[in-house]
Amino acid sequence: MLFKRKILVVEDNEINRATLCVILSSQYTVLEAENGEQALSLLEKYREGISLILLDIVMPVMDGYTFLKHLKADNRLNSIPVIVTTSNNSEADEVTALSNGATDFITKPYRAQVILHRAAGIIRLHHAIDQILLLYVVFLQRFGHMSFQLLLSA
């Protein structure tokens, strides 16, 4: 890989944020935010350049669920995958996170290899989907009129 993909870590606890940064920094460029409001500002700056967001839920200023609502409402940003990181490990918390648009859910304490594998898998999948959509657009541009004609002749 010629460049490191960017991951945004949104975590108010400095120790937890530093831990995630240490885990991820060997393979990714890591951006940090202390709350959802700071994260939205970083997203405005970097936009589609961010490959993944790791998001705590309980934070001051703007919590994780409010951040997710803003993220999912923005067509420029809503496809960025989000892994929720939280110390609340109940099924209800996981369902709430996923139903609010999170891609995955990881509980604290952090397990480095689990985080690295989940991040890599989600980024790979997201990149593959982007490639498929790009190929589909190219196909439609080149052959869309022919497909439409074939449909009419059937």
Side-chain angles (χ1 to χ4, degrees):
M1 183 185 309
L2 298 174
F3 68 97
K4 284 185 170 183
R5 296 193 183 275
K6 289 181 184 68
I7 292 181
L8 174 58
V9 173
V10 188
E11 167 66 68
D12 64 313
N13 181 290
E14 192 173 340
I15 294 171
N16 289 339
R17 194 170 60 250
T19 300
L20 287 170
C21 290
V22 167
I23 290 169
L24 296 164
S25 63
S26 66
Q27 297 180 27
Y28 304 98
T29 299
V30 182
L31 305 173
E32 302 177 47
E34 293 180 18
N35 58 60
E37 193 172 278
Q38 284 183 0
L40 289 174
S41 294
L42 284 170
L43 285 168
E44 276 300 314
K45 181 176 180 180
Y46 292 98
R47 296 202 185 194
E48 297 86 10
I50 295 176
S51 298
L52 179 67
I53 300 168
L54 272 75
L55 176 68
D56 186 27
I57 293 300
V58 180
M59 297 180 291
V61 183
M62 181 186 292
D63 69 5
Y65 292 129
T66 304
F67 170 81
L68 275 172
K69 287 177 187 165
H70 285 280
L71 181 75
K72 296 305 174 181
D74 189 330
N75 290 332
R76 300 165 305 159
L77 306 171
N78 63 11
S79 67
I80 300 172
V82 177
I83 298 176
V84 165
T85 63
T86 184
S87 55
N88 302 329
N89 64 353
S90 73
E91 182 178 348
D93 291 325
E94 189 169 355
V95 169
T96 301
L98 295 170
S99 66
N100 277 285
T103 307
D104 203 352
F105 186 90
I106 295 175
T107 58
K108 300 171 187 173
Y110 300 126
R111 296 173 303 188
Q113 290 304 309
V114 170
I115 290 171
L116 288 171
H117 284 287
R118 288 201 181 163
I122 289 170
I123 289 171
R124 251 191 331 272
L125 181 60
H126 188 255
H127 180 69
I129 291 168
D130 285 346
Q131 293 301 308
I132 290 168
L133 290 173
L134 180 61
L135 289 171
Y136 180 67
V137 168
V138 169
F139 173 82
L140 288 178
Q141 288 172 341
R142 290 189 183 166
F143 305 109
H145 65 284
M146 292 171 56
S147 299
F148 184 70
Q149 288 171 348
L150 287 173
L151 182 63
L152 289 178
S153 66

PDB file of all heavy atoms in Angstrom, residues 45-73:
ATOM      1  N   LYS A  45     -13.037  18.605   7.356  1.00  0.00           N
ATOM      2  CA  LYS A  45     -11.707  18.854   6.802  1.00  0.00           C
ATOM      3  C   LYS A  45     -11.248  17.717   5.889  1.00  0.00           C
ATOM      4  O   LYS A  45     -10.715  17.949   4.807  1.00  0.00           O
ATOM      5  CB  LYS A  45     -10.693  19.045   7.936  1.00  0.00           C
ATOM      6  CG  LYS A  45      -9.297  19.331   7.479  1.00  0.00           C
ATOM      7  CD  LYS A  45      -8.380  19.602   8.649  1.00  0.00           C
ATOM      8  CE  LYS A  45      -6.964  19.894   8.151  1.00  0.00           C
ATOM      9  NZ  LYS A  45      -6.048  20.163   9.247  1.00  0.00           N
ATOM     10  N   TYR A  46     -11.448  16.466   6.320  1.00  0.00           N
ATOM     11  CA  TYR A  46     -10.906  15.316   5.599  1.00  0.00           C
ATOM     12  C   TYR A  46     -11.931  14.594   4.724  1.00  0.00           C
ATOM     13  O   TYR A  46     -11.556  13.833   3.840  1.00  0.00           O
ATOM     14  CB  TYR A  46     -10.280  14.318   6.578  1.00  0.00           C
ATOM     15  CG  TYR A  46      -9.040  14.863   7.225  1.00  0.00           C
ATOM     16  CD1 TYR A  46      -9.076  15.424   8.491  1.00  0.00           C
ATOM     17  CD2 TYR A  46      -7.822  14.836   6.557  1.00  0.00           C
ATOM     18  CE1 TYR A  46      -7.933  15.940   9.080  1.00  0.00           C
ATOM     19  CE2 TYR A  46      -6.673  15.342   7.139  1.00  0.00           C
ATOM     20  CZ  TYR A  46      -6.738  15.897   8.402  1.00  0.00           C
ATOM     21  OH  TYR A  46      -5.612  16.399   8.985  1.00  0.00           O
ATOM     22  N   ARG A  47     -13.204  14.746   5.013  1.00  0.00           N
ATOM     23  CA  ARG A  47     -14.324  14.140   4.277  1.00  0.00           C
ATOM     24  C   ARG A  47     -14.101  12.679   3.951  1.00  0.00           C
ATOM     25  O   ARG A  47     -13.912  11.861   4.819  1.00  0.00           O
ATOM     26  CB  ARG A  47     -14.644  14.942   3.032  1.00  0.00           C
ATOM     27  CG  ARG A  47     -15.105  16.315   3.405  1.00  0.00           C
ATOM     28  CD  ARG A  47     -15.893  16.930   2.356  1.00  0.00           C
ATOM     29  NE  ARG A  47     -16.168  18.294   2.818  1.00  0.00           N
ATOM     30  CZ  ARG A  47     -17.042  19.046   2.283  1.00  0.00           C
ATOM     31  NH1 ARG A  47     -17.735  18.623   1.274  1.00  0.00           N
ATOM     32  NH2 ARG A  47     -17.256  20.240   2.752  1.00  0.00           N
ATOM     33  N   GLU A  48     -14.107  12.360   2.657  1.00  0.00           N
ATOM     34  CA  GLU A  48     -14.026  10.967   2.227  1.00  0.00           C
ATOM     35  C   GLU A  48     -12.655  10.348   2.464  1.00  0.00           C
ATOM     36  O   GLU A  48     -12.469   9.162   2.246  1.00  0.00           O
ATOM     37  CB  GLU A  48     -14.403  10.835   0.742  1.00  0.00           C
ATOM     38  CG  GLU A  48     -15.822  11.237   0.424  1.00  0.00           C
ATOM     39  CD  GLU A  48     -15.977  12.735   0.173  1.00  0.00           C
ATOM     40  OE1 GLU A  48     -14.958  13.447   0.055  1.00  0.00           O
ATOM     41  OE2 GLU A  48     -17.123  13.200   0.113  1.00  0.00           O
ATOM     42  N   GLY A  49     -11.676  11.127   2.889  1.00  0.00           N
ATOM     43  CA  GLY A  49     -10.340  10.610   3.156  1.00  0.00           C
ATOM     44  C   GLY A  49     -10.271   9.719   4.378  1.00  0.00           C
ATOM     45  O   GLY A  49      -9.271   9.037   4.614  1.00  0.00           O
ATOM     46  N   ILE A  50     -11.326   9.694   5.162  1.00  0.00           N
ATOM     47  CA  ILE A  50     -11.355   8.855   6.364  1.00  0.00           C
ATOM     48  C   ILE A  50     -11.994   7.519   6.007  1.00  0.00           C
ATOM     49  O   ILE A  50     -13.093   7.461   5.486  1.00  0.00           O
ATOM     50  CB  ILE A  50     -12.115   9.562   7.506  1.00  0.00           C
ATOM     51  CG1 ILE A  50     -11.335  10.816   7.924  1.00  0.00           C
ATOM     52  CG2 ILE A  50     -12.320   8.617   8.691  1.00  0.00           C
ATOM     53  CD1 ILE A  50     -12.002  11.660   8.967  1.00  0.00           C
ATOM     54  N   SER A  51     -11.262   6.441   6.288  1.00  0.00           N
ATOM     55  CA  SER A  51     -11.704   5.091   5.923  1.00  0.00           C
ATOM     56  C   SER A  51     -12.564   4.424   6.982  1.00  0.00           C
ATOM     57  O   SER A  51     -13.321   3.505   6.670  1.00  0.00           O
ATOM     58  CB  SER A  51     -10.487   4.202   5.653  1.00  0.00           C
ATOM     59  OG  SER A  51      -9.745   4.703   4.578  1.00  0.00           O
ATOM     60  N   LEU A  52     -12.438   4.854   8.234  1.00  0.00           N
ATOM     61  CA  LEU A  52     -13.142   4.204   9.341  1.00  0.00           C
ATOM     62  C   LEU A  52     -13.179   5.145  10.530  1.00  0.00           C
ATOM     63  O   LEU A  52     -12.251   5.933  10.732  1.00  0.00           O
ATOM     64  CB  LEU A  52     -12.414   2.904   9.729  1.00  0.00           C
ATOM     65  CG  LEU A  52     -12.970   2.086  10.891  1.00  0.00           C
ATOM     66  CD1 LEU A  52     -14.332   1.483  10.532  1.00  0.00           C
ATOM     67  CD2 LEU A  52     -11.990   0.978  11.272  1.00  0.00           C
ATOM     68  N   ILE A  53     -14.245   5.035  11.312  1.00  0.00           N
ATOM     69  CA  ILE A  53     -14.368   5.799  12.554  1.00  0.00           C
ATOM     70  C   ILE A  53     -14.546   4.813  13.701  1.00  0.00           C
ATOM     71  O   ILE A  53     -15.380   3.907  13.603  1.00  0.00           O
ATOM     72  CB  ILE A  53     -15.574   6.759  12.503  1.00  0.00           C
ATOM     73  CG1 ILE A  53     -15.419   7.758  11.356  1.00  0.00           C
ATOM     74  CG2 ILE A  53     -15.761   7.474  13.845  1.00  0.00           C
ATOM     75  CD1 ILE A  53     -16.675   8.557  11.044  1.00  0.00           C
ATOM     76  N   LEU A  54     -13.756   4.979  14.771  1.00  0.00           N
ATOM     77  CA  LEU A  54     -13.986   4.251  16.016  1.00  0.00           C
ATOM     78  C   LEU A  54     -14.599   5.252  16.980  1.00  0.00           C
ATOM     79  O   LEU A  54     -14.007   6.305  17.242  1.00  0.00           O
ATOM     80  CB  LEU A  54     -12.682   3.679  16.582  1.00  0.00           C
ATOM     81  CG  LEU A  54     -12.326   2.296  16.052  1.00  0.00           C
ATOM     82  CD1 LEU A  54     -11.806   2.382  14.644  1.00  0.00           C
ATOM     83  CD2 LEU A  54     -11.343   1.614  16.949  1.00  0.00           C
ATOM     84  N   LEU A  55     -15.774   4.939  17.488  1.00  0.00           N
ATOM     85  CA  LEU A  55     -16.606   5.917  18.177  1.00  0.00           C
ATOM     86  C   LEU A  55     -17.047   5.430  19.548  1.00  0.00           C
ATOM     87  O   LEU A  55     -17.714   4.403  19.664  1.00  0.00           O
ATOM     88  CB  LEU A  55     -17.850   6.202  17.316  1.00  0.00           C
ATOM     89  CG  LEU A  55     -18.914   7.116  17.874  1.00  0.00           C
ATOM     90  CD1 LEU A  55     -18.397   8.550  17.991  1.00  0.00           C
ATOM     91  CD2 LEU A  55     -20.156   7.071  16.996  1.00  0.00           C
ATOM     92  N   ASP A  56     -16.693   6.208  20.573  1.00  0.00           N
ATOM     93  CA  ASP A  56     -17.239   5.975  21.909  1.00  0.00           C
ATOM     94  C   ASP A  56     -18.661   6.530  21.931  1.00  0.00           C
ATOM     95  O   ASP A  56     -19.008   7.414  21.146  1.00  0.00           O
ATOM     96  CB  ASP A  56     -16.361   6.682  22.946  1.00  0.00           C
ATOM     97  CG  ASP A  56     -16.766   6.382  24.376  1.00  0.00           C
ATOM     98  OD1 ASP A  56     -17.340   5.300  24.631  1.00  0.00           O
ATOM     99  OD2 ASP A  56     -16.509   7.226  25.259  1.00  0.00           O
ATOM    100  N   ILE A  57     -19.483   6.025  22.818  1.00  0.00           N
ATOM    101  CA  ILE A  57     -20.873   6.493  22.903  1.00  0.00           C
ATOM    102  C   ILE A  57     -21.050   7.570  23.962  1.00  0.00           C
ATOM    103  O   ILE A  57     -21.623   8.629  23.705  1.00  0.00           O
ATOM    104  CB  ILE A  57     -21.835   5.309  23.167  1.00  0.00           C
ATOM    105  CG1 ILE A  57     -21.869   4.381  21.953  1.00  0.00           C
ATOM    106  CG2 ILE A  57     -23.235   5.791  23.496  1.00  0.00           C
ATOM    107  CD1 ILE A  57     -22.334   5.039  20.665  1.00  0.00           C
ATOM    108  N   VAL A  58     -20.546   7.323  25.161  1.00  0.00           N
ATOM    109  CA  VAL A  58     -20.747   8.257  26.275  1.00  0.00           C
ATOM    110  C   VAL A  58     -19.609   9.271  26.277  1.00  0.00           C
ATOM    111  O   VAL A  58     -18.477   8.956  26.642  1.00  0.00           O
ATOM    112  CB  VAL A  58     -20.824   7.505  27.621  1.00  0.00           C
ATOM    113  CG1 VAL A  58     -21.036   8.484  28.762  1.00  0.00           C
ATOM    114  CG2 VAL A  58     -21.929   6.456  27.587  1.00  0.00           C
ATOM    115  N   MET A  59     -19.938  10.510  25.829  1.00  0.00           N
ATOM    116  CA  MET A  59     -18.955  11.594  25.754  1.00  0.00           C
ATOM    117  C   MET A  59     -19.655  12.914  26.067  1.00  0.00           C
ATOM    118  O   MET A  59     -20.845  13.057  25.812  1.00  0.00           O
ATOM    119  CB  MET A  59     -18.358  11.686  24.339  1.00  0.00           C
ATOM    120  CG  MET A  59     -17.579  10.485  23.883  1.00  0.00           C
ATOM    121  SD  MET A  59     -16.925  10.703  22.205  1.00  0.00           S
ATOM    122  CE  MET A  59     -18.429  10.665  21.222  1.00  0.00           C
ATOM    123  N   PRO A  60     -18.899  13.881  26.581  1.00  0.00           N
ATOM    124  CA  PRO A  60     -19.481  15.212  26.785  1.00  0.00           C
ATOM    125  C   PRO A  60     -19.600  15.954  25.449  1.00  0.00           C
ATOM    126  O   PRO A  60     -19.103  15.483  24.425  1.00  0.00           O
ATOM    127  CB  PRO A  60     -18.449  15.896  27.690  1.00  0.00           C
ATOM    128  CG  PRO A  60     -17.156  15.222  27.369  1.00  0.00           C
ATOM    129  CD  PRO A  60     -17.514  13.797  27.036  1.00  0.00           C
ATOM    130  N   VAL A  61     -20.253  17.078  25.452  1.00  0.00           N
ATOM    131  CA  VAL A  61     -20.459  17.982  24.328  1.00  0.00           C
ATOM    132  C   VAL A  61     -21.406  17.361  23.291  1.00  0.00           C
ATOM    133  O   VAL A  61     -22.483  17.865  23.068  1.00  0.00           O
ATOM    134  CB  VAL A  61     -19.144  18.440  23.661  1.00  0.00           C
ATOM    135  CG1 VAL A  61     -19.424  19.436  22.531  1.00  0.00           C
ATOM    136  CG2 VAL A  61     -18.181  19.034  24.688  1.00  0.00           C
ATOM    137  N   MET A  62     -20.984  16.270  22.641  1.00  0.00           N
ATOM    138  CA  MET A  62     -21.852  15.550  21.710  1.00  0.00           C
ATOM    139  C   MET A  62     -21.563  14.062  21.854  1.00  0.00           C
ATOM    140  O   MET A  62     -20.443  13.616  21.612  1.00  0.00           O
ATOM    141  CB  MET A  62     -21.608  15.982  20.258  1.00  0.00           C
ATOM    142  CG  MET A  62     -22.521  15.245  19.276  1.00  0.00           C
ATOM    143  SD  MET A  62     -22.146  15.584  17.532  1.00  0.00           S
ATOM    144  CE  MET A  62     -22.635  17.293  17.402  1.00  0.00           C
ATOM    145  N   ASP A  63     -22.579  13.298  22.252  1.00  0.00           N
ATOM    146  CA  ASP A  63     -22.375  11.862  22.467  1.00  0.00           C
ATOM    147  C   ASP A  63     -22.333  11.104  21.137  1.00  0.00           C
ATOM    148  O   ASP A  63     -22.559  11.663  20.063  1.00  0.00           O
ATOM    149  CB  ASP A  63     -23.438  11.284  23.397  1.00  0.00           C
ATOM    150  CG  ASP A  63     -24.830  11.245  22.777  1.00  0.00           C
ATOM    151  OD1 ASP A  63     -25.002  11.567  21.586  1.00  0.00           O
ATOM    152  OD2 ASP A  63     -25.767  10.866  23.493  1.00  0.00           O
ATOM    153  N   GLY A  64     -22.014   9.834  21.212  1.00  0.00           N
ATOM    154  CA  GLY A  64     -21.857   9.014  20.016  1.00  0.00           C
ATOM    155  C   GLY A  64     -23.121   8.863  19.196  1.00  0.00           C
ATOM    156  O   GLY A  64     -23.071   8.872  17.962  1.00  0.00           O
ATOM    157  N   TYR A  65     -24.273   8.717  19.842  1.00  0.00           N
ATOM    158  CA  TYR A  65     -25.518   8.544  19.092  1.00  0.00           C
ATOM    159  C   TYR A  65     -25.893   9.813  18.332  1.00  0.00           C
ATOM    160  O   TYR A  65     -26.346   9.749  17.188  1.00  0.00           O
ATOM    161  CB  TYR A  65     -26.660   8.115  20.007  1.00  0.00           C
ATOM    162  CG  TYR A  65     -26.479   6.723  20.558  1.00  0.00           C
ATOM    163  CD1 TYR A  65     -26.584   6.471  21.910  1.00  0.00           C
ATOM    164  CD2 TYR A  65     -26.184   5.642  19.713  1.00  0.00           C
ATOM    165  CE1 TYR A  65     -26.406   5.194  22.418  1.00  0.00           C
ATOM    166  CE2 TYR A  65     -26.007   4.365  20.211  1.00  0.00           C
ATOM    167  CZ  TYR A  65     -26.120   4.148  21.565  1.00  0.00           C
ATOM    168  OH  TYR A  65     -25.934   2.883  22.060  1.00  0.00           O
ATOM    169  N   THR A  66     -25.684  10.962  18.945  1.00  0.00           N
ATOM    170  CA  THR A  66     -25.958  12.230  18.259  1.00  0.00           C
ATOM    171  C   THR A  66     -25.005  12.389  17.082  1.00  0.00           C
ATOM    172  O   THR A  66     -25.416  12.793  15.982  1.00  0.00           O
ATOM    173  CB  THR A  66     -25.821  13.415  19.232  1.00  0.00           C
ATOM    174  OG1 THR A  66     -26.694  13.197  20.346  1.00  0.00           O
ATOM    175  CG2 THR A  66     -26.158  14.729  18.560  1.00  0.00           C
ATOM    176  N   PHE A  67     -23.737  12.039  17.290  1.00  0.00           N
ATOM    177  CA  PHE A  67     -22.765  12.079  16.197  1.00  0.00           C
ATOM    178  C   PHE A  67     -23.201  11.175  15.044  1.00  0.00           C
ATOM    179  O   PHE A  67     -23.152  11.574  13.883  1.00  0.00           O
ATOM    180  CB  PHE A  67     -21.378  11.661  16.709  1.00  0.00           C
ATOM    181  CG  PHE A  67     -20.387  11.457  15.600  1.00  0.00           C
ATOM    182  CD1 PHE A  67     -19.733  12.536  15.032  1.00  0.00           C
ATOM    183  CD2 PHE A  67     -20.118  10.181  15.118  1.00  0.00           C
ATOM    184  CE1 PHE A  67     -18.826  12.351  13.994  1.00  0.00           C
ATOM    185  CE2 PHE A  67     -19.225   9.986  14.092  1.00  0.00           C
ATOM    186  CZ  PHE A  67     -18.566  11.067  13.525  1.00  0.00           C
ATOM    187  N   LEU A  68     -23.622   9.951  15.366  1.00  0.00           N
ATOM    188  CA  LEU A  68     -24.076   9.023  14.317  1.00  0.00           C
ATOM    189  C   LEU A  68     -25.237   9.602  13.519  1.00  0.00           C
ATOM    190  O   LEU A  68     -25.290   9.453  12.296  1.00  0.00           O
ATOM    191  CB  LEU A  68     -24.489   7.684  14.935  1.00  0.00           C
ATOM    192  CG  LEU A  68     -23.394   6.661  15.169  1.00  0.00           C
ATOM    193  CD1 LEU A  68     -23.924   5.474  15.961  1.00  0.00           C
ATOM    194  CD2 LEU A  68     -22.779   6.202  13.860  1.00  0.00           C
ATOM    195  N   LYS A  69     -26.172  10.269  14.201  1.00  0.00           N
ATOM    196  CA  LYS A  69     -27.306  10.877  13.495  1.00  0.00           C
ATOM    197  C   LYS A  69     -26.834  11.940  12.512  1.00  0.00           C
ATOM    198  O   LYS A  69     -27.309  12.002  11.377  1.00  0.00           O
ATOM    199  CB  LYS A  69     -28.306  11.461  14.491  1.00  0.00           C
ATOM    200  CG  LYS A  69     -29.101  10.396  15.206  1.00  0.00           C
ATOM    201  CD  LYS A  69     -30.032  10.975  16.245  1.00  0.00           C
ATOM    202  CE  LYS A  69     -30.661   9.820  17.023  1.00  0.00           C
ATOM    203  NZ  LYS A  69     -31.288  10.245  18.259  1.00  0.00           N
ATOM    204  N   HIS A  70     -25.877  12.776  12.933  1.00  0.00           N
ATOM    205  CA  HIS A  70     -25.329  13.798  12.037  1.00  0.00           C
ATOM    206  C   HIS A  70     -24.588  13.149  10.867  1.00  0.00           C
ATOM    207  O   HIS A  70     -24.747  13.571   9.716  1.00  0.00           O
ATOM    208  CB  HIS A  70     -24.372  14.726  12.791  1.00  0.00           C
ATOM    209  CG  HIS A  70     -25.050  15.714  13.671  1.00  0.00           C
ATOM    210  ND1 HIS A  70     -25.608  16.882  13.200  1.00  0.00           N
ATOM    211  CD2 HIS A  70     -25.262  15.708  15.010  1.00  0.00           C
ATOM    212  CE1 HIS A  70     -26.137  17.552  14.199  1.00  0.00           C
ATOM    213  NE2 HIS A  70     -25.940  16.860  15.319  1.00  0.00           N
ATOM    214  N   LEU A  71     -23.792  12.140  11.162  1.00  0.00           N
ATOM    215  CA  LEU A  71     -23.011  11.455  10.127  1.00  0.00           C
ATOM    216  C   LEU A  71     -23.919  10.810   9.094  1.00  0.00           C
ATOM    217  O   LEU A  71     -23.730  10.977   7.881  1.00  0.00           O
ATOM    218  CB  LEU A  71     -22.109  10.392  10.775  1.00  0.00           C
ATOM    219  CG  LEU A  71     -21.217   9.595   9.827  1.00  0.00           C
ATOM    220  CD1 LEU A  71     -20.044  10.449   9.372  1.00  0.00           C
ATOM    221  CD2 LEU A  71     -20.717   8.329  10.509  1.00  0.00           C
ATOM    222  N   LYS A  72     -24.924  10.090   9.552  1.00  0.00           N
ATOM    223  CA  LYS A  72     -25.802   9.361   8.640  1.00  0.00           C
ATOM    224  C   LYS A  72     -26.722  10.293   7.848  1.00  0.00           C
ATOM    225  O   LYS A  72     -27.212   9.924   6.787  1.00  0.00           O
ATOM    226  CB  LYS A  72     -26.624   8.305   9.397  1.00  0.00           C
ATOM    227  CG  LYS A  72     -25.742   7.211  10.014  1.00  0.00           C
ATOM    228  CD  LYS A  72     -24.863   6.546   8.981  1.00  0.00           C
ATOM    229  CE  LYS A  72     -23.885   5.569   9.563  1.00  0.00           C
ATOM    230  NZ  LYS A  72     -23.007   4.947   8.564  1.00  0.00           N
ATOM    231  N   ALA A  73     -26.924  11.512   8.332  1.00  0.00           N
ATOM    232  CA  ALA A  73     -27.764  12.479   7.624  1.00  0.00           C
ATOM    233  C   ALA A  73     -26.999  13.219   6.525  1.00  0.00           C
ATOM    234  O   ALA A  73     -27.605  13.882   5.690  1.00  0.00           O
ATOM    235  CB  ALA A  73     -28.352  13.491   8.613  1.00  0.00           C
TER     236      ALA A  73
END
